[in-house]
Amino acid sequence: MKSQTIEQMLSDWMRDAFLKAFPDMAGQGLTVSVVPTGSEEHGDYQCNQAMALGKALRKAPRQIAEAAIKAAAPHAAVAGAEPAGPGFINIRLRTEWLASVAAAIDSDARCGVPASGDGRSVVLDYSSPNVAKPMHIGHIRSTVIGNALDRLHRFLGYRVMSDNHLGDWGTQFGIMIMGYRNFADAEALKAEPVEELERVYVRSYERSQQDPDWLTQARQELVKLQAGDPENRRLWEEFVRLSMVEFGHIYDRLDVRFDLVRGESYYNDRLAGVVETLKAKGIARESEGAIVAFLEEEKLPPCIVQKSDGAFNYATTDLATVASRVAEFKPDKIVYVTDERQQLHFRQVFALCRRLGVTTDLEHVWFGLMRLPEGTFSTRQGNVIKLEKYLDEAEARALAVVKECSPDMAPERQKDVARAVGIGAVKYADLSQNPQSLVVFTWEKALAMDGNSAPYLQYAYARIASVLDKYAEQAPGKRLADFPIALGEPIERTLAVKLARFPEAVTRATETYKPSALADYLYDLAQTYSSFYQNVPFLKAPEGVRESRVRLCGVVAQVLRQGLKLLGIETPERV
RNA sequence: GCGCCUGUAGCCUAAUGGACAAGGCAUCUGACUUCGGAUCAGAAGAUUGCAGGUUCGAGUCCUGCCAGGCGCGCCA
């Protein structure tokens, strides 16, 4: 199979046809795009270029379409092209060609996906929780979406450096240290370290709001920490260590790994240099005691890079981080996955980077905040759902369903399956919708096990695995790959068209930073498969037809497994 | 006040400027002596927030308004 998506292949083909029919268009930068049709009655792919060219060519679009079709060279993949409506060109693929594509996917570990990343490198910055606070469900979107983008980029052949940019530095540590010294409970610290750190922080924070002396002391502790005071430094290291242990448990459960874990503190000794450079280049100057970069040209509000008390802030850290990454990894792009509140911040940082001469492509992939039906999360209202609890609940609900549906399965196995299904459901709930939409959290939605959900996809996969096993029992010694795939039934052809679109789905999901595009595709594929499964006999079909259909099942399984893997979702052989 | 984002059946969500707006949940009707019913087949449910505009063609682009969310020099 050619390392090119069908869209690209047909677009090139139609472009040649248009240029042959209308040679005057050459050199005018004519771009012709072919897209999947919305409905099968319009063929498999369609080209809408004729209508767009109507004015330029001063001809009826319908005539243009007819001329382009007439000029089109024969193509091995194309059964025919027809004009339709005002000037659509509907393209039908050859069924035999589709069968050969399905067979090619069957023998290709990449399922036909081109390695379009081509060795380009990307730094992916995601998850990035704050130290000394438990991860809650607000953190899951960055983690899950970022990890899917990580997997997608790697699969497409990018060199990925994933970095967990921990919030391990900042003014909160003065308050933390005061809280730890005065309120920490040794036993609680042993049992649930991060919970205790948070409790201590909240208590100290409340005190600081009422007691100016407390606040002053906290500020002094912060200054000592930043000056390298050994005792405060030791405490801070302990906070980071305890937090990392707990984050590690969550990342293990979510099967998330980072190449780098460099918190904000890693860049501390570069901050002064960043501000010096900004000043030297005339990008930032003193204003009301602070050092401020004015971004009027970019029509952005001013950005403070050094506070009037001499301390640096978030923007400074991010500038130092970019400089460090550019120098060390020379990436083609750096991608940040954070919530929507940081849009302005990153636009300011990116603008400053450009002024500093950074040419690396900088992308901010933002997603909508997660909220509860009754409003935003807040520690004060005590309605924060801890990530740990969320995952526990997901696994518990999945276990109940597994026990009901597969009572004969060994209990250990049931637990394994419940883990895969529960975590899968949680991830899919976040990955299956446009990241930028605002999410209102409900247990019902987050842990859906039917309809458009991970368990639906996992169920479809497990049924295929079961079919393949049954076939092996029924026809021992036969090699499926020795039999050709024939697409006799319309539903089989439909299935093959969808299988052939897997590379398009993966490519689009990656390029648009929307894993939801892949999730949509997989659900659509699984729906088509389920219909096929329910309505067409295969193990009972005559030999030859049986092999073709079972083989087709196998291709679907392979695409489902690979696709879900790219979303970070497991596919157990049995559920 | 300024800026960014979001408004699609009762609910949740799809839809590269293209054909009749596509699914799921819930509701209703069917399908297990037959390959796993976490399924399938079907029904019903929509002036795509409102009003203009651009275009051969607008849920999608532009302008104004309404509603909600988020942000806007010393938090990160």
Side-chain angles (χ1 to χ4, degrees):
Chain A
M1 188 170 173
K2 264 188 209 157
S3 211
Q4 190 187 35
T5 64
I6 298 174
E7 284 185 22
Q8 288 165 343
M9 177 185 81
L10 293 179
S11 295
D12 290 348
W13 176 66
M14 279 312 300
R15 184 167 190 279
D16 289 345
F18 271 97
L19 287 177
K20 195 173 164 201
F22 306 100
D24 295 350
M25 298 306 293
Q28 290 185 33
L30 177 70
T31 56
V32 177
S33 63
V34 169
V35 296
T37 55
S39 143
E40 284 183 3
E41 62 192 281
H42 300 131
D44 301 311
Y45 283 81
Q46 66 183 64
C47 176
N48 307 324
Q49 207 63 40
M51 290 174 290
L53 290 174
K55 218 159 232 177
L57 291 170
R58 309 183 67 177
K59 275 197 164 108
R62 180 88 188 191
Q63 285 178 2
I64 298 171
E66 280 163 5
I69 290 168
K70 208 172 162 195
H75 193 291
V78 178
E82 278 165 12
F88 295 103
I89 298 173
N90 292 340
I91 302 167
R92 267 178 306 108
L93 296 172
R94 274 183 58 229
T95 302
E96 295 75 17
W97 183 80
L98 284 169
S100 76
V101 171
I105 292 173
D106 200 18
S107 60
D108 178 11
R110 297 189 55 81
C111 299
V113 178
S116 54
D118 206 22
R120 276 172 291 164
S121 67
V122 50
V123 173
L124 208 46
D125 181 322
Y126 68 96
S127 194
S128 310
N130 288 325
V131 159
K133 287 183 190 166
M135 289 176 82
H136 58 81
I137 62 171
H139 292 108
I140 200 168
R141 300 206 85 192
S142 177
T143 307
V144 165
I145 292 169
N147 186 245
L149 292 175
D150 184 339
R151 292 164 184 264
L152 282 164
H153 278 88
R154 275 178 221 273
F155 188 66
L156 282 189
Y158 287 87
R159 292 192 349 259
V160 177
M161 189 61 70
S162 61
D163 189 2
N164 192 2
H165 191 66
L166 295 179
D168 65 353
W169 203 249
T171 47
Q172 76 269 29
F173 285 100
I175 290 170
M176 263 313 300
I177 288 169
M178 285 297 286
Y180 187 86
R181 289 216 176 110
N182 292 284
F183 308 129
D185 179 286
E187 271 182 36
L189 211 49
K190 215 170 214 172
E192 285 189 303
V194 179
E195 301 256 333
E196 176 62 5
L197 289 182
E198 191 198 31
R199 187 189 69 84
V200 153
Y201 172 79
V202 169
R203 201 163 152 198
S204 179
Y205 176 78
E206 282 166 359
R207 176 82 177 263
S208 72
Q209 295 297 96
Q210 295 151 6
D211 181 350
D213 289 345
W214 189 273
L215 188 59
T216 307
Q217 278 189 69
R219 286 200 177 123
Q220 283 166 0
E221 295 302 340
L222 179 67
V223 170
K224 276 167 70 185
L225 171 66
Q226 292 177 336
D229 173 76
E231 174 58 17
N232 281 9
R233 184 89 194 172
R234 194 190 62 75
L235 285 180
W236 172 77
E237 278 167 5
E238 184 67 358
F239 301 154
V240 174
R241 193 189 63 80
L242 291 173
S243 299
M244 282 311 296
V245 169
E246 192 154 317
F247 295 160
H249 293 148
I250 299 223
Y251 292 136
D252 283 349
R253 292 178 78 177
L254 292 174
D255 194 18
V256 167
R257 276 176 230 321
F258 296 94
D259 299 305
L260 292 173
V261 181
R262 286 185 182 168
E264 291 163 1
S265 62
Y266 179 86
Y267 304 94
N268 275 344
D269 51 12
R270 301 160 195 255
L271 302 181
V274 168
V275 174
E276 283 314 308
T277 308
L278 287 169
K279 285 201 289 198
K281 293 199 173 186
I283 299 169
R285 60 182 159 82
E286 193 274 335
S287 166
E288 293 173 41
I291 307 299
V292 182
F294 291 92
L295 298 164
E296 276 133 3
E297 274 176 45
E298 290 88 349
K299 290 185 178 148
L300 292 170
C303 179
I304 294 182
V305 292
Q306 185 171 18
K307 301 194 278 186
S308 51
D309 66 0
F312 305 105
N313 56 14
Y314 189 34
T316 329
T317 309
D318 269 339
L319 289 171
T321 305
V322 170
S324 166
R325 286 170 174 166
V326 166
E328 185 172 354
F329 305 116
K330 300 178 178 56
D332 293 285
K333 61 180 177 179
I334 304 176
V335 180
Y336 297 83
V337 185
T338 82
D339 72 56
E340 60 184 324
R341 289 174 301 184
Q342 301 192 28
Q343 286 178 85
L344 176 58
H345 163 73
F346 279 112
R347 283 205 289 161
Q348 290 175 319
V349 169
F350 294 174
L352 286 173
C353 285
R354 259 168 249 127
R355 288 206 192 180
L356 287 168
V358 172
T359 54
T360 306
D361 181 17
L362 301 168
E363 299 279 349
H364 180 215
V365 176
W366 58 267
F367 53 86
L369 274 181
M370 197 180 279
R371 303 161 52 76
L372 291 172
E374 59 268 29
T376 39
F377 291 103
S378 79
T379 314
R380 229 181 291 160
Q381 285 176 37
N383 61 0
V384 176
I385 301 172
K386 303 275 163 67
L387 201 39
E388 196 88 52
K389 296 265 157 42
Y390 179 33
L391 301 182
D392 288 347
E393 179 70 20
E395 291 183 17
R397 291 197 191 198
L399 186 60
V401 176
V402 172
K403 279 185 166 160
E404 193 190 325
C405 297
S406 305
D408 300 334
M409 193 181 274
E412 270 311 294
R413 191 91 184 265
Q414 286 178 332
K415 246 183 131 179
D416 270 358
V417 169
R419 190 185 47 73
V421 170
I423 299 294
V426 163
K427 288 188 175 186
Y428 192 87
D430 263 329
L431 292 171
S432 63
Q433 62 182 325
N434 183 345
Q436 299 187 347
S437 58
L438 189 134
V439 174
V440 177
F441 179 87
T442 60
W443 285 102
E444 188 196 352
K445 203 174 24 153
L447 301 180
M449 309 279 251
D450 53 11
N452 189 359
S453 68
Y456 176 94
L457 298 173
Q458 290 167 320
Y459 179 66
Y461 178 83
R463 285 199 300 190
I464 299 174
S466 179
V467 165
L468 295 176
D469 284 357
K470 286 236 166 70
Y471 175 79
E473 275 174 40
Q474 203 180 86
K478 284 215 167 89
R479 286 184 48 218
L480 281 172
D482 294 339
F483 294 84
I485 292 178
L487 306 170
E489 295 288 325
I491 187 85
E492 292 180 272
R493 190 184 184 284
T494 303
L495 200 50
V497 170
K498 288 187 175 164
L499 287 169
R501 284 180 188 166
F502 180 62
E504 286 161 15
V506 172
T507 304
R508 215 180 125 215
T510 311
E511 285 175 354
T512 60
Y513 304 103
K514 282 181 181 164
S516 59
L518 177 57
D520 273 350
Y521 164 84
L522 292 172
Y523 181 60
D524 185 35
L525 176 67
Q527 274 191 128
T528 305
Y529 174 76
S530 294
S531 178
F532 165 65
Y533 175 88
Q534 204 84 17
N535 295 304
V536 178
F538 31 88
L539 286 176
K540 288 171 197 154
E543 184 165 350
V545 176
R546 178 182 64 173
E547 276 69 18
S548 168
R549 288 179 182 164
V550 172
R551 232 188 125 180
L552 198 56
C553 286
V555 182
V556 173
Q558 201 189 321
V559 169
L560 283 178
R561 186 177 58 230
Q562 182 60 258
L564 286 170
K565 192 176 170 192
L566 291 173
L567 297 179
I569 296 170
E570 289 179 58
T571 41
E573 299 296 303
R574 295 285 182 275
V575 297

